[in-house]
Amino acid sequence: MAKFKYIASNEDTGLPIKKIIRSQFNFSGRLMGQIKRGNLVYRNGSPVPGWHTVDIGDIITIDLPEERSDFAPENIPLDIVYEDDDLLVINKQNGITVHPTKGCPNHTIANGIMTHMLNSDQSFKIRFINRLDTDTSGLLLVGKNSYSQNEIAKQMRAGTVEKHYIAVVCGIISEDEFIIDKPIGRPSPDEIRRSVLDVDLGGCPSRTKVNVLERLQHPLTGEHFTLVELKLLTGRTHQIRVHMNYIGHTLVGDWLYGDNHGDLIGRQALHACRLSLTHPVTGNPLSLKSDLPEDISKLVGFLSK
């Protein structure tokens, strides 16, 4: 369980503990209420109300409230890249939905995390901070408490979280580096597909940076493809898939957006390969990487012959 600690200085002498907590820790009002109701503030190891004052050298600690998701545990394989008391990062395999939905109520990453939680004697509420489509693989970030989730959400709004993807797309991209700056929206609530949509019609500002890594060719048909690295500058649903389709370079295997190369790979060739952020509790930089999965690696190898 996450725990926060502060040692009172001379300037803190006589101040109420709740004032010190507000000045030293960026807790939301809702979280502060939960901490108060749970009697989770301690002075020198003993529970204490927030109106009590401190002396120099007093050690103030705050526990976060204990929470636990109640998804059914299942034996879903998890490739854990990083874990501590506040965060869990998984290298997600393709073909697995992240979170239970009406159409997919079980056999999800969340069900697998519940098994991991039980096996490791942990208790936390599963908070997916980034989402990956069912057939997208790579780094999936999970917050173990509301504080971590909220702090990383602030970093995302400030644009300091870096999310990089590798993709194989149809056709040759001639420009080496550029930014796609087109709003994305949902043309119809009954349609799962997104599209470039004017802001006046409900589109949200969306920006994707594209870097060409290698230009490829099918050894038998002569068709051209491009290996790209993509950096999300915003985070919209299907953003990469929509933007690449809009510029005429649909992801290989992305049947939803019109590609018919299902014979080359059985899903869209998209992998979340790098994730960089500031740890929400320690403040230390956190940089994580994931190698290309076997199916995309084989695809690139085949098209490079």
Side-chain angles (χ1 to χ4, degrees):
M1 180 189 299
K3 179 174 289 190
F4 295 80
K5 177 181 177 181
Y6 177 73
I7 300 176
S9 65
N10 184 54
E11 290 77 13
D12 300 316
T13 301
L15 292 178
I17 290 174
K18 61 182 179 182
K19 184 174 182 178
I20 293 174
I21 292 175
R22 288 195 184 103
S23 67
Q24 296 298 323
F25 304 106
N26 195 20
F27 296 147
S28 66
R30 180 175 179 274
L31 183 54
M32 282 290 291
Q34 292 176 324
I35 290 170
K36 179 181 178 181
R37 290 190 294 273
N39 298 315
L40 299 175
V41 177
Y42 303 83
R43 182 182 60 190
N44 301 323
S46 300
V48 63
W51 54 266
H52 277 211
T53 58
V54 299
D55 292 321
I56 185 172
D58 279 349
I59 300 174
I60 309 302
T61 53
I62 306 101
D63 286 340
L64 295 187
E66 186 171 308
E67 301 175 287
R68 187 172 189 155
S69 293
D70 59 358
F71 304 113
E74 295 184 53
N75 289 320
I76 307 293
L78 299 180
D79 179 8
I80 296 175
V81 176
Y82 177 89
E83 184 173 22
D84 61 19
D85 289 340
D86 306 291
L87 298 176
L88 172 66
V89 183
I90 295 166
N91 185 24
K92 174 190 168 300
Q93 62 272 55
N94 80 80
I96 301 289
T97 300
V98 168
H99 192 281
T101 63
K102 184 181 293 187
C104 183
N106 46 37
H107 308 310
T108 70
I109 293 295
N111 299 110
I113 293 176
M114 284 301 300
T115 295
H116 169 68
M117 193 187 305
L118 293 171
N119 291 341
S120 56
D121 195 26
Q122 297 185 68
S123 179
F124 58 88
K125 186 173 181 178
I126 300 168
R127 292 174 162 89
F128 290 106
I129 297 174
N130 68 321
R131 298 291 181 96
L132 298 179
D133 297 331
T134 298
D135 286 333
T136 299
S137 56
L139 298 172
L140 180 66
L141 180 59
V142 181
K144 291 185 174 182
N145 52 67
S146 62
Y147 180 83
S148 295
Q149 181 185 38
N150 292 338
E151 287 301 299
I152 295 176
K154 291 176 185 176
Q155 293 181 41
M156 287 181 171
R157 288 193 293 270
T160 57
V161 175
E162 292 194 3
K163 294 181 285 184
H164 294 256
Y165 292 72
I166 295 288
V168 183
V169 302
C170 300
I172 289 291
I173 299 178
S174 57
E175 195 173 355
D176 290 337
E177 182 178 317
F178 57 97
I179 290 176
I180 305 171
D181 189 351
K182 293 291 180 180
I184 292 174
R186 196 171 187 173
S188 166
D190 300 322
E191 173 66 59
I192 190 173
R193 284 168 53 106
R194 270 66 171 175
S195 65
V196 168
L197 193 66
D198 192 83
V199 172
D200 294 338
L201 298 177
C204 296
S206 307
R207 301 174 74 234
T208 305
K209 185 176 181 180
V210 182
N211 285 283
V212 169
L213 299 179
E214 188 177 355
R215 294 175 177 90
L216 308 165
Q217 186 173 14
H218 196 295
L220 302 178
T221 67
E223 284 185 274
H224 293 285
F225 302 88
T226 306
L227 179 67
V228 292
E229 180 172 358
L230 306 132
K231 180 180 179 181
L232 288 182
L233 304 178
T234 55
R236 312 299 176 199
T237 300
H238 293 186
Q239 178 173 318
I240 288 172
R241 300 167 70 183
V242 171
H243 271 171
M244 297 311 294
N245 176 259
Y246 176 78
I247 65 171
H249 296 286
T250 307
L251 271 64
V252 173
D254 192 356
W255 60 267
L256 182 64
Y257 287 93
D259 182 62
N260 59 2
H261 290 95
D263 58 322
L264 292 178
I265 188 170
R267 50 115 170 186
Q268 67 256 15
L270 182 63
H271 179 72
C273 62
R274 287 195 287 144
L275 180 65
S276 298
L277 66 150
T278 299
H279 193 286
V281 176
T282 68
N284 294 328
L286 189 61
S287 184
L288 303 167
K289 294 182 180 181
S290 169
D291 294 334
L292 274 183
E294 184 177 5
D295 59 348
I296 297 182
S297 182
K298 283 185 175 180
L299 173 63
V300 174
F302 174 73
L303 297 176
S304 299
K305 291 180 181 178

